[in-house]
Amino acid sequence: MELLENREKPIGVFDSGVGGLTVMREIMRQLPDEKIVYFGDTARVPYGSKSRETVVRYSEQIVRFLQTQQVKAIVVACNTASAYALEALEEKTELPIIDVVKPGAKTAVETTKNGRVGVIGTEGTVGSGIYSSYIHQIDPKVQVTGKACPLFVPLVEEGLWEDPVTDEIASRYLAELIDIGIDTLVLGCTHYPLIRKTVGKIMGEGVTLVNPAYETAVELKELLSQQGLLSPGAPALGENRYRFYVSDAAEKFKRFANSIIKYGILSAKTIPIEEY
């Protein structure tokens, strides 16, 4: 009975803001029978420019909140939190935890033909060297070049996905990656799939873009299957399948979430995350 109860519990997904919705969207597509609780730390975004200690503290608070929601697994849908806080979180909880970095790194190694991989992300993610570390664990010969793109997150959050301003900034950021001849580019921030078209246009057809959001959903499905935690069937009609929580600006979050997920998100509840 307990196992069935566990299988019926939701998956917890968290991010520094709205970027993790790209991960949630992939989980919804690939695991349509699962319930999901999403938390976006909209009061304290961005994480990419914060210290390791701060990101660990924020992440631990969020995991404590998700545990109150009776989740069966946690997806750290934020590259910076994955880079800085994953070990600390694994020590503090028994729940299965999956991050967005490892699946993206694995796919990058499998994809590259010339052994030159680029990684774009926040200053925190790129500065941590986490992608290089994982990629080199799989194949030490791969040359990894990271490039911090701090303006991409605010541009995405302002909804400027296809805008001349975004084109101009992306061209500047990506120029050096084009010059060194990478053939694979990891979108190392969950906001970046939303400007995938712009990035792809600038990089050209010879460069494959790796979207860790997609790869994370694939890996989550495998993990839940291995641990006997896959949902036994779709939630009952009228049951609250997807729940959204934020630390601030719920209305703005709801509008943005609806533009990404196209699901008709009726509400996002603000919670005092500092209390957890």
Side-chain angles (χ1 to χ4, degrees):
M1 180 64 192
E2 190 188 336
L3 185 62
L4 179 63
E5 274 180 17
N6 284 343
R7 286 164 61 195
E8 288 176 341
K9 288 177 178 176
I11 296 159
V13 178
F14 82 86
D15 180 54
S16 58
V18 297
L21 290 165
T22 61
V23 179
M24 180 163 175
R25 180 172 65 182
E26 290 296 341
I27 296 169
M28 288 165 70
R29 280 178 187 158
Q30 295 183 49
L31 294 161
D33 290 344
E34 297 290 346
K35 291 183 279 198
I36 304 170
V37 176
Y38 181 93
F39 178 80
D41 199 358
T42 44
R44 306 186 293 196
V45 69
Y47 281 11
S49 52
K50 306 257 188 321
S51 71
R52 177 183 294 270
E53 293 72 27
T54 299
V55 173
V56 169
R57 180 165 59 84
Y58 290 177
S59 301
E60 287 177 348
Q61 288 173 335
I62 294 164
V63 166
R64 285 195 287 271
F65 163 69
L66 289 173
Q67 286 174 308
T68 68
Q69 301 298 303
Q70 305 294 308
V71 297
K72 62 183 175 184
I74 289 174
V75 179
V76 184
C78 168
N79 284 266
T80 307
S82 296
Y84 284 166
L86 190 66
E87 276 178 37
L89 297 179
E90 285 172 338
E91 282 169 20
K92 295 269 171 76
T93 175
E94 310 263 296
L95 291 171
I97 295 187
I98 198 163
D99 70 292
V100 283
V101 176
K102 286 189 198 113
K106 186 164 148 257
T107 304
V109 173
E110 289 164 0
T111 304
T112 184
K113 303 276 195 297
N114 70 3
R116 287 184 208 146
V117 171
V119 177
I120 52 174
T122 64
E123 290 167 60
T125 301
V126 172
S128 74
I130 187 91
Y131 273 100
S132 302
S133 170
Y134 284 145
I135 287 169
H136 288 145
Q137 280 171 31
I138 305 166
D139 185 347
K141 297 190 296 295
V142 174
Q143 183 188 325
V144 185
T145 306
K147 175 69 184 169
C149 303
L151 290 173
F152 279 172
V153 169
L155 286 167
V156 166
E157 297 211 345
E158 287 302 321
L160 300 171
W161 303 352
E162 293 181 43
D163 189 276
V165 175
T166 308
D167 289 353
E168 170 64 26
I169 286 166
S171 297
R172 291 189 191 194
Y173 279 154
L174 300 171
E176 67 186 76
L177 296 175
I178 293 168
D179 290 347
I180 58 172
I182 63 164
D183 72 347
T184 303
L185 180 63
V186 180
L187 304 177
C189 170
T190 48
H191 284 72
Y192 296 0
L194 298 169
I195 51 168
R196 184 185 182 136
K197 198 185 280 185
T198 300
V199 172
K201 187 172 64 185
I202 290 162
M203 294 308 298
E205 284 178 9
V207 177
T208 304
L209 303 186
V210 174
N211 176 7
Y214 173 81
E215 310 302 338
T216 300
V218 171
E219 194 141 316
L220 175 66
K221 190 174 187 176
E222 278 175 29
L223 178 77
L224 294 178
S225 178
Q226 283 163 7
Q227 302 212 3
L229 288 171
L230 278 173
S231 171
L237 265 177
E239 197 177 342
N240 209 347
R241 183 181 292 205
Y242 304 124
R243 302 202 303 276
F244 297 88
Y245 296 90
V246 292
S247 47
D248 193 25
E251 272 308 306
K252 187 180 178 189
F253 172 88
K254 196 175 86 176
R255 284 196 303 275
F256 194 93
N258 278 317
S259 70
I260 295 175
I261 287 180
K262 312 276 195 288
Y263 173 76
I265 293 160
L266 300 175
S267 70
K269 196 172 171 190
T270 306
I271 57 150
I273 194 64
E274 294 280 5
E275 291 175 12
Y276 286 86

